[in-house]
Amino acid sequence: MALSGMRGLSVFISDIRNCQNKEQERLRVDKELGNVRTRFKNEKQGLSPYEKKKYVWKMLYIYMLGYDVDFGHMEAVSLISAPKYPEKQVGYIVTSCLLNENHDFLRLAINTVRNDIIGRNETFQCLALTMVGNIGGREFAESLAPDVQKLLLSSSARPLVRKKAALCLLRLYRKNPDVVNVDGWADRMAQLLDERDLGVLTSSTSLLVALVANNHEAYWSCLPKCVKILERLARNQDVPQEYTYYGIPSPWLQVKAMRALQYFPTIEDPNTRRSLFEVLQRILMGTDVVKNVNKNNASHAVLFEALALVMHLDAEKEMMSQCVALLGKFIAVREPNIRYLGLENMTRMLMVTDVQEIIKRHQAQIITSLKDPDISIRRRALDLLYGMCDVSNAKDIVEELLQYLSTAEFAMREELSLKAAILAEKFAPDLSWYVDVILQLIDKAGDFVSDDIWFRVVQFVTNNEDLQSYAAIKAREYLDKPAIHETMVKVSAYLLGEFGHLLSRRPGCSPKELFSIIHEKLPAVSTSTIPILLSTYAKILMHTQPPDPELQSQIWAILSKYESCIDVEIQQRAAEYLSLSRKGAALMDILSEMPKFPERQSSLIRKAEDTEVDTAEQSALKLRAQQQVSTALVVTDQRPANGTPFAGQLTLVKVPSMSSNTDVSSADQGLSQTNGVLTTVDPEPPSADLLGDLLGPLAIEGPPPSDNVESRQNIVSGLEGDNAGDASAIVPVDDPQSSVEPIGNTAERFMALCLKDSGVLYEDPHIQIGIKADWRLYQGRLVLFLGNKNTTPLVSVQAVILPPSHLKIELSLVPDTIPPRAQVQCPLEVVNLRPSRDVAVLDFSYKFGNNMANVKLRLPAVLNKFLQPIMVSAEEFFPQWRSLSGPPLKLQEVVRGVRPLSLLEMTNLFNSFRLMVCPGLDPNPNNLVASTTYYSESTQAMLCLVRIETDPADRTQLRMTLASGDPALTFELKEFIKEQLVSIPIAQRAPSPQVPPAPPAAQPTRPAAALSDPGAMLAGLL
């Protein structure tokens, strides 16, 4: 029987591997799922534990292939309580994979898991600890943490069990720090660090790192124990062979111990400090680059952690010099990973005093790294050169950066230009050299030179009379080039307009010649440059005394031409300059030289101080922080003691939305694989749906259902102040005091409502909140349907709207009590004031029995709700497109990391967000053109035009150009569309973080090796 059952699983795995295409595989999986469902349904009472095991294995295999398995969870959980190891093992493994920490079925297994943990069977203990460590969750933490702690401290438990107990407690602590009592645990933690078994010691040190990261004050007694661990490993005392990796005693434990020491601010005891520095000295002396890659990886992990600890402890200069010398060897080797690590750590060393002179000795090698084929190494070399620059080496470094600018890729040129300009300003030996550098910078990288850079050189020249003739001469030389960047035209025209008269005796610099060479550039410049050229013409005319009739007539003709220009600024300048130029001698006073600029801090240096250097360490910290935050809005609500919301005390905090479990970007939720429409599945059966009348008619003009219309409160009016002005796309965090878990994914429900106008916004065991909306131009009317699902009333009901500053929202009075099995309707009026991607939040709370629930829900009053798709013809499109000539009204960006979409899928995506794709406007069949009309109270109707240029050879990148008559709208809509294009489809996300993601549905692949195949993994477990 057993053999035939397992043969059935093996045959099923073989059938899947032999499928020729994705459709065959799907049919075979559906057939097997139907068979398993039938057996569970018809023979539920008669299935033996063995038969359950067989079918649950098949479910797990199907799930690992990437298919949804929405049944059989109860059968998997029930196997946990089986008395035999094979069935119990299956129960624990499948439960770990299929269920997450919030699943209701896990509550059924808590007692069984606890019995296995406190039992005497070590195998069952290991299974239970592994599952709890994988799933985590607050409920597990509260119920099982005391038993896990006892097991960890037990002297009778085997090291294998204690090791798993330490890692399990670490996971529970991360989920709920309250499970570890600081007062009682510090001594126990120090006791664990005396453990002789390295496996238990390594796991305990991982736990220590998490503990001291939150509160190092309580664990000072552990500091000398960590130093003793490092001494033991450095001397290779009592280290078993199985914990020696390529001759390095337990490198993982060394790294963890040094990481823990970095959380303590200092080491007071001189003996402990001396012992630690001896260990660090031994590590520094004993690390070198060898040919064995694995040994290099382990030894360098230990070394770089030791370097971080040396910098943290602010060691003596001799040891710092030794560290820099060692890093100098690393940046000279051929292996790119080692060079990268050397440059990264040398950049961190710059934060320590008295090592800059030592690092300068390696300047030539660092400059060589600036030309490395690997862009990440070039970035680190640029950061290091920027940090080590001072007056003594500024010329050499800036010249190298300018030389490198000609060959640098576009991704680095803007950063490179900014850093070169800052270094030239901060460390210029003389101002003429500074002018040379900035003009070279503009010449070589004009597109990537910000206006701040050429504004700054104009300030320097204006404020220093000795520099004016030199700057004018250099500007005149650059104008002789056949092709120069528009930014160079701006700065040259300005300088010659102000100071060109100082060159009147030089050949080729007469007013007529200066005008002629500047005017040659006029046809090629954009609208934003023409006002500068007109000012230059007026200045030249002013400095030409007595007037040259021929030059005067030429300039007057140009000014007369631009008097009728559509651009208001150009028109005004032309008219005023023409009128002023006819006043004769009075022109000299009106158009005299600009006065000196007031001395103030450079905007470039201020920008550099405000901008973080993108080091690898900071990038990793940002990523870790993003992975720990929730999806939508973080709202910090400081309320008075009486609980009354006070708008003036509300703080809105912007955070990234990259949560591993609930993060859903805008386009994820809105698209199915074919038609771009999201359909949500209600987790409750139809009989429990209290929002059936959502599909009924809703008139935006209709009165609210409340009898007392006059009593409606504008709760949000106080948020129009300073605090609301800085609100960004915020996201709610779960209230730790709430004892009610939501049903379904709240973020997915929100994203579905961004695409449609009615549906369920939130649901938990007691209440269901639905929305129906009607949007007209810049106004919207939403109705909140609050449905009580229970036979007892919900009391203390409160709802407060926390709006961003661009929305004006009025919510009618919400009743304090919702009767049993009843539904309450609360109208909500929305007015859109201006473009923004920020989201309003509904702060909703109620009480059921002794349970208090509080949730913060994003309302789907989002940017695309105020769009109205419009079809435009070529005759309407191209004049509008040409009239919006450049930033900030027209913005262009190359978007990388786009999820691959066919043109049809991309068209559906645009249409779902109310952007009308207009076929035939772009002759290139790989491009899309779309149009829409945006409505707000401030802008009324505003036409928006979008052009998408795709690359058929690489669907993961495209170029997007967006234009409208409002700079804020252009930017916000561009960012909104970009978020949809780079988001991860729901269908391709693994439902649980413990399971590898499924292969893409469009490109089924068979595993090349048995180790990567779920079937082979299951066969090994069988």
Side-chain angles (χ1 to χ4, degrees):
M1 176 66 182
L3 190 60
S4 63
M6 291 302 103
R7 185 180 298 119
L9 176 59
S10 301
V11 168
F12 173 61
I13 292 173
S14 268
D15 291 346
I16 292 295
R17 289 175 174 173
N18 293 330
C19 289
Q20 298 298 316
N21 52 52
K22 190 68 179 176
E23 190 58 34
Q24 284 186 15
E25 180 183 288
R26 189 182 299 278
L27 291 173
R28 182 66 182 90
V29 167
D30 288 344
K31 178 182 176 182
E32 194 63 38
L33 283 176
N35 178 48
V36 174
R37 190 192 298 269
T38 302
R39 297 301 300 272
F40 281 161
K41 184 177 180 181
N42 297 337
E43 303 181 28
K44 197 167 186 179
Q45 302 300 323
L47 283 179
S48 66
Y50 169 76
E51 289 175 315
K52 282 186 185 178
K53 179 187 76 170
K54 175 180 65 173
Y55 293 124
V56 167
W57 270 137
K58 289 185 179 180
M59 286 168 45
L60 178 61
Y61 179 61
I62 292 170
Y63 178 79
M64 294 174 73
L65 288 174
Y67 295 94
D68 290 332
V69 177
D70 56 0
F71 69 95
H73 299 163
M74 187 63 200
E75 282 72 14
V77 172
S78 66
L79 284 175
I80 292 177
S81 57
K84 295 182 179 179
Y85 173 76
E87 286 79 15
K88 187 180 285 287
Q89 178 203 30
V90 176
Y92 275 118
I93 291 176
V94 177
T95 301
S96 297
C97 293
L98 295 185
L99 304 186
N100 61 37
E101 63 184 68
N102 298 318
H103 205 287
D104 292 338
F105 283 165
L106 284 180
R107 297 190 181 97
L108 305 175
I110 286 181
N111 286 335
T112 305
V113 174
R114 183 174 184 274
N115 290 334
D116 284 339
I117 289 176
I118 65 178
R120 295 178 177 272
N121 190 317
E122 294 176 345
T123 305
F124 291 177
Q125 286 177 326
C126 291
L127 287 175
L129 291 169
T130 301
M131 188 194 78
V132 175
N134 281 333
I135 294 180
R138 296 184 65 87
E139 201 157 347
F140 269 156
E142 293 167 0
S143 304
L144 303 177
D147 298 311
V148 176
Q149 291 180 28
K150 289 179 183 177
L151 196 57
L152 173 59
L153 297 170
S154 171
S155 58
S156 60
R158 289 179 58 191
L160 174 64
V161 178
R162 297 179 63 204
K163 178 171 67 173
K164 289 183 178 293
L167 296 176
C168 180
L169 184 60
L170 172 61
R171 175 62 184 267
L172 297 180
Y173 176 75
R174 286 173 176 167
K175 282 295 178 182
N176 184 8
D178 295 335
V179 301
V180 175
N181 185 355
V182 175
D183 295 333
W185 189 255
D187 294 336
R188 296 176 181 178
M189 194 68 245
Q191 176 187 341
L192 285 173
L193 296 181
D194 289 328
E195 177 66 42
R196 302 308 297 173
D197 184 275
L198 287 188
V200 179
L201 188 56
T202 303
S203 302
S204 301
T205 310
S206 299
L207 178 60
L208 174 66
V209 171
L211 294 173
V212 297
N214 286 343
N215 181 12
H216 70 273
E217 294 289 344
Y219 297 95
W220 279 103
S221 59
C222 297
L223 190 150
K225 299 292 181 70
C226 290
V227 176
K228 287 184 178 179
I229 291 172
L230 290 173
E231 283 187 291
R232 172 186 171 188
L233 296 175
R235 296 190 174 96
N236 204 355
Q237 295 176 346
D238 192 24
V239 178
Q241 184 62 35
E242 60 267 25
Y243 285 95
T244 302
Y245 185 78
Y246 287 91
I248 304 168
S250 191
W252 311 277
L253 181 54
Q254 292 189 55
V255 168
K256 291 178 189 296
M258 288 187 283
R259 181 74 53 84
L261 289 172
Q262 291 175 53
Y263 286 103
F264 294 98
T266 184
I267 299 177
E268 302 292 346
D269 182 49
N271 294 328
T272 303
R273 186 178 177 89
R274 184 175 60 254
S275 300
L276 178 58
F277 278 118
E278 287 177 2
V279 172
L280 296 175
Q281 184 73 31
R282 188 186 293 262
I283 293 173
L284 295 177
M285 294 292 293
T287 305
D288 206 348
V289 179
V290 296
K291 291 185 177 180
N292 190 303
V293 176
N294 292 327
K295 183 171 183 179
N296 275 338
N297 290 340
S299 62
H300 293 158
V302 175
L303 172 67
F304 290 124
E305 202 65 47
L307 289 173
L309 184 55
V310 167
M311 287 184 278
H312 174 74
L313 297 174
D314 195 13
E316 292 78 6
K317 185 174 182 180
E318 183 180 348
M319 182 171 280
M320 291 292 186
S321 303
Q322 188 177 350
C323 293
V324 175
L326 187 59
L327 292 173
K329 291 182 182 178
F330 282 14
I331 65 175
V333 301
R334 295 181 58 186
E335 172 61 38
N337 289 336
I338 298 176
R339 284 207 309 281
Y340 178 91
L341 291 171
L343 291 167
E344 171 68 19
N345 280 272
M346 199 173 277
T347 304
R348 294 176 60 197
M349 292 288 288
L350 284 171
M351 295 183 292
V352 182
T353 56
D354 299 332
V355 297
Q356 190 163 357
E357 292 300 322
I358 308 171
I359 293 178
K360 285 181 186 177
R361 301 171 190 170
H362 306 280
Q363 180 174 315
Q365 188 61 49
I366 298 169
I367 290 174
T368 303
S369 298
L370 197 61
K371 302 166 186 175
D372 194 275
D374 191 329
I375 186 173
S376 58
I377 293 178
R378 296 198 296 273
R379 284 189 180 278
R380 297 288 79 84
L382 175 60
D383 291 339
L384 182 52
L385 286 172
Y386 178 74
M388 64 187 284
C389 186
D390 59 17
V391 178
S392 64
N393 59 2
K395 267 195 171 183
D396 295 335
I397 289 179
V398 171
E399 287 174 6
E400 287 291 341
L401 295 183
L402 289 174
Q403 183 179 350
Y404 173 55
L405 193 58
S406 304
T407 57
E409 56 276 272
F410 293 161
M412 286 185 65
R413 287 193 181 184
E414 184 173 358
E415 180 185 3
L416 193 60
S417 302
L418 178 62
K419 288 183 174 178
I422 292 171
L423 294 179
E425 179 176 340
K426 287 176 68 176
F427 305 114
D430 58 77
L431 291 180
S432 60
W433 177 81
Y434 168 74
V435 171
D436 287 340
V437 168
I438 299 301
L439 293 181
Q440 286 184 60
L441 200 60
I442 295 172
D443 184 46
K444 294 183 177 181
D447 281 332
F448 303 93
V449 175
S450 66
D451 286 343
D452 289 334
I453 294 177
W454 79 268
F455 289 170
R456 189 63 177 163
V457 75
V458 165
Q459 292 173 23
F460 269 107
V461 174
T462 303
N463 289 4
N464 292 273
E465 295 183 5
D466 297 340
L467 198 59
Q468 292 169 359
S469 297
Y470 180 80
I473 292 171
K474 300 300 292 187
R476 174 66 181 84
E477 291 174 359
Y478 276 103
L479 285 177
D480 282 333
K481 290 190 172 184
I484 60 173
H485 192 270
E486 187 168 340
T487 304
M488 182 63 77
V489 175
K490 291 180 183 178
V491 67
S492 298
Y494 186 94
L495 291 174
L496 290 175
E498 291 291 327
F499 313 114
H501 63 282
L502 302 176
L503 311 179
S504 56
R505 297 183 179 181
R506 298 179 66 92
C509 295
S510 67
K512 185 179 293 187
E513 289 171 313
L514 290 179
F515 165 75
S516 176
I517 195 167
I518 294 173
H519 189 54
E520 286 177 4
K521 314 298 180 184
L522 180 64
V525 300
S526 64
T527 308
S528 62
T529 306
I530 295 176
I532 298 177
L533 298 186
L534 296 183
S535 299
T536 301
Y537 298 162
K539 292 271 186 176
I540 291 175
L541 194 59
M542 180 268 294
H543 285 300
T544 309
Q545 297 298 334
D548 183 333
E550 183 181 354
L551 177 61
Q552 189 178 62
S553 62
Q554 287 180 313
I555 294 178
W556 281 0
I558 295 169
L559 296 176
S560 299
K561 172 187 172 184
Y562 281 106
E563 271 190 312
S564 58
C565 179
I566 192 172
D567 187 278
V568 176
E569 183 180 0
I570 296 175
Q571 182 187 100
Q572 183 176 356
R573 284 186 186 238
E576 292 179 357
Y577 290 153
L578 186 60
S579 176
L580 290 171
S581 64
R582 290 173 175 161
K583 292 185 178 296
L587 188 66
M588 293 289 291
D589 298 326
I590 300 172
L591 293 179
S592 60
E593 291 184 10
M594 289 290 291
K596 292 186 177 182
F597 291 91
E599 292 298 329
R600 57 179 178 264
Q601 184 186 13
S602 167
S603 59
L604 296 179
I605 296 177
R606 186 169 62 249
K607 183 186 295 186
E609 291 173 352
D610 295 340
T611 305
E612 291 182 349
V613 178
D614 182 22
T615 64
E617 180 184 19
Q618 287 169 333
S619 300
L621 288 173
K622 288 177 185 176
L623 182 60
R624 284 197 292 271
Q626 289 169 349
Q627 289 170 343
Q628 293 171 2
V629 297
S630 180
T631 59
L633 299 195
V634 172
V635 179
T636 307
D637 190 1
Q638 302 172 351
R639 302 177 181 231
N642 61 5
T644 305
F646 177 54
Q649 292 179 326
L650 181 69
T651 304
L652 304 178
V653 185
K654 184 172 182 179
V655 297
S657 73
M658 292 182 60
S659 173
S660 57
N661 293 331
T662 58
D663 175 48
V664 185
S665 56
S666 303
D668 295 354
Q669 309 298 332
L671 300 178
S672 66
Q673 292 182 351
T674 54
N675 58 8
V677 179
L678 174 72
T679 56
T680 59
V681 181
D682 193 336
E684 290 290 324
S687 61
D689 186 7
L690 300 175
L691 303 176
D693 57 349
L694 274 177
L695 300 179
L698 173 68
I700 196 167
E701 300 87 352
S706 173
D707 295 333
N708 187 3
V709 180
E710 303 297 331
S711 64
R712 284 192 287 168
Q713 300 175 350
N714 185 2
I715 304 174
V716 302
S717 59
L719 289 175
E720 299 294 334
D722 295 337
N723 289 341
D726 296 332
S728 294
I730 36 186
V731 243
V733 200
D734 292 334
D735 190 340
Q737 297 178 351
S738 178
S739 58
V740 179
E741 293 292 336
I743 297 174
N745 191 319
T746 304
E748 291 182 7
R749 294 183 187 276
F750 165 77
M751 297 311 304
L753 287 168
C754 290
L755 297 178
K756 58 182 185 178
D757 292 332
S758 63
V760 178
L761 178 66
Y762 171 81
E763 185 171 11
D764 63 32
H766 309 306
I767 196 167
Q768 189 180 57
I769 302 177
I771 279 187
K772 181 167 176 140
D774 191 0
W775 305 94
R776 298 188 181 180
L777 305 183
Y778 57 87
Q779 297 177 318
R781 181 171 179 218
L782 293 79
V783 177
L784 297 178
F785 295 80
L786 311 178
N788 183 354
K789 300 166 60 176
N790 300 292
T791 56
T792 55
L794 301 178
V795 297
S796 301
V797 178
Q798 290 188 359
V800 179
I801 300 294
L802 311 176
S805 59
H806 76 285
L807 293 179
K808 185 165 64 178
I809 302 180
E810 282 189 14
L811 174 65
S812 65
L813 187 65
V814 177
D816 183 69
T817 302
I818 302 178
R821 307 293 295 176
Q823 183 189 87
V824 174
Q825 299 183 15
C826 303
L828 189 70
E829 305 289 344
V830 180
V831 176
N832 183 33
L833 303 178
R834 57 182 176 274
S836 177
R837 288 170 295 131
D838 299 349
V839 186
V841 178
L842 171 67
D843 188 349
F844 184 81
S845 61
Y846 67 90
K847 192 173 183 181
F848 176 76
N850 295 325
N851 295 328
M852 186 68 191
N854 178 261
V855 292
K856 295 180 176 66
L857 305 169
R858 290 177 292 174
L859 293 175
V862 290
L863 182 68
N864 64 297
K865 297 294 186 181
F866 306 104
L867 299 179
Q868 188 65 40
I870 181 173
M871 179 68 72
V872 296
S873 64
E875 292 77 19
E876 298 168 316
F877 177 86
F878 290 106
Q880 292 279 356
W881 185 260
R882 283 192 290 266
S883 68
L884 303 169
S885 57
L889 298 181
K890 180 184 286 185
L891 298 177
Q892 186 176 95
E893 182 174 352
V894 176
V895 183
R896 295 181 173 83
V898 176
R899 53 194 171 94
L901 295 174
S902 65
L903 287 179
L904 177 59
E905 290 173 326
M906 193 172 292
T907 300
N908 290 332
L909 172 63
F910 275 53
N911 290 336
S912 69
F913 284 97
R914 306 190 183 192
L915 294 164
M916 175 72 73
V917 174
C918 307
L921 291 184
D922 197 312
N924 189 334
N926 296 309
N927 296 348
L928 292 179
V929 174
S931 60
T932 190
T933 305
Y934 173 81
Y935 292 92
S936 71
E937 193 176 59
S938 60
T939 61
Q940 296 295 324
M942 181 72 69
L943 181 65
C944 307
L945 306 175
V946 185
R947 183 172 184 240
I948 302 293
E949 302 168 74
T950 67
D951 183 358
D954 185 4
R955 290 288 182 186
T956 63
Q957 65 176 0
L958 52 82
R959 182 162 64 181
M960 174 171 60
T961 310
L962 199 141
S964 78
D966 183 356
L969 173 59
T970 303
F971 175 78
E972 293 289 345
L973 189 55
K974 176 181 75 72
E975 293 299 311
F976 175 81
I977 296 174
K978 183 169 72 171
E979 290 171 1
Q980 319 313 318
L981 294 174
V982 301
S983 57
I984 304 171
I986 296 175
Q988 295 184 14
R989 287 192 303 137
S992 172
Q994 288 85 15
V995 184
Q1003 298 178 354
T1005 57
R1006 297 275 64 83
L1011 288 179
S1012 61
D1013 181 23
M1017 294 164 63
L1018 290 177
L1021 290 171
L1022 296 175

